[in-house]
């Protein structure tokens, strides 16, 4: 019920517009548009802003801007390149497909549980998920994935 009320819908529209690559100066301001469609009272009371903040809190601020490739898109690109470079023999195709599915599932899990940030961009999530997925399928030894600056005792 609350999902479909005017304040929530207005908050979603605000978030979409704020995350859009379209310039906001290409039309009326968000406030003017809200007043025009009869949301002035909700706007004055701060209800729309509260809903907007609540949506951001619920989603933990996890948004993907249209201009950024998602971790899944980064992973797909990396896996396509890998499949091309490896050129597996017929008996290896199913093993490679299983490893790729594991990488996709792991990258998805990593994205959902950790989320993107400036310190962990989509590309890093995708490559991290790929490596973890390959390690889980034993397609890559964990020791080979260890960063050089991390001691093996810590790894």
């Amino acid at each position: 019920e609350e999902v479909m009320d005017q304040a929530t819908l207005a908050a979603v529209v605000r978030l979409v517009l704020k995350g859009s690559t379209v310039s906001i100066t290409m039309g009326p301001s968000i406030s003017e548009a809200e007043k025009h469609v009869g949301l002035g009272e909700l706007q004055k009371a701060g209800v729309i802003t509260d809903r907007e903040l609540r949506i951001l809190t619920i989603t933990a601020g996890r948004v993907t801007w249209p201009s950024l490739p998602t971790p899944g898109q980064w992973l797909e690109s990396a896996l396509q390149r890998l499949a091309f470079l490896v050129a597996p023999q017929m008996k290896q195709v199913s093993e490679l497909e299983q490893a790729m599915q594991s990488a996709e599932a792991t990258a998805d899990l990593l994205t959902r549980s950790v989320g993107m940030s400036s310190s962990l961009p989509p590309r890093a999530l995708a490559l991290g998920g790929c490596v973890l997925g390959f390690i889980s399928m034993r397609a890559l030894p964990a020791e080979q994935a260890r960063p050089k600056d991390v001691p093996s005792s810590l790894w």
Side-chain angles (χ1 to χ4, degrees):
E1 187 175 296
E2 187 178 289
V3 173
M4 295 305 292
D5 73 354
Q6 284 186 321
T8 302
L9 294 174
V12 169
V13 169
R14 276 186 181 182
L15 290 169
V16 168
L17 290 173
K18 288 177 180 178
S20 173
T21 57
V22 176
S23 173
I24 293 180
T25 61
M26 293 180 60
S29 70
I30 295 171
S31 297
E32 289 174 24
E34 288 172 351
K35 285 179 188 174
H36 182 70
V37 295
L39 297 175
E41 290 302 313
L42 290 173
Q43 183 186 35
K44 285 179 189 173
V47 175
I48 298 171
T49 302
D50 288 343
R51 292 282 166 81
E52 189 177 353
L53 292 172
R54 198 160 140 208
I55 291 168
L56 283 172
T57 302
I58 290 169
T59 62
R62 295 179 185 158
V63 292
T64 302
W65 305 114
S67 60
L68 286 176
T70 65
Q73 290 168 325
W74 275 107
L75 181 62
E76 184 179 331
S77 176
L79 292 177
Q80 284 175 352
R81 291 177 186 161
L82 177 65
F84 177 76
L85 291 173
V86 172
Q89 303 297 316
M90 285 304 246
K91 63 182 180 178
Q92 298 170 318
V93 170
S94 68
E95 292 173 359
L96 180 61
E97 286 176 354
Q98 287 177 348
M100 291 170 118
Q101 288 174 351
S102 175
E104 289 169 354
T106 307
D108 183 56
L109 179 64
L110 193 59
T111 302
R112 290 173 191 259
S113 60
V114 176
M116 293 178 281
S117 67
S118 58
S119 61
L120 199 56
R123 180 175 180 235
L125 281 170
L127 295 177
C130 184
V131 169
L132 291 173
F134 282 5
I135 290 171
S136 72
M137 291 295 296
R138 294 192 163 93
L140 176 69
E143 188 57 34
Q144 283 186 346
R146 181 176 58 88
K148 292 179 182 176
D149 61 338
V150 175
S152 56
S153 60
L154 184 60
W155 185 250

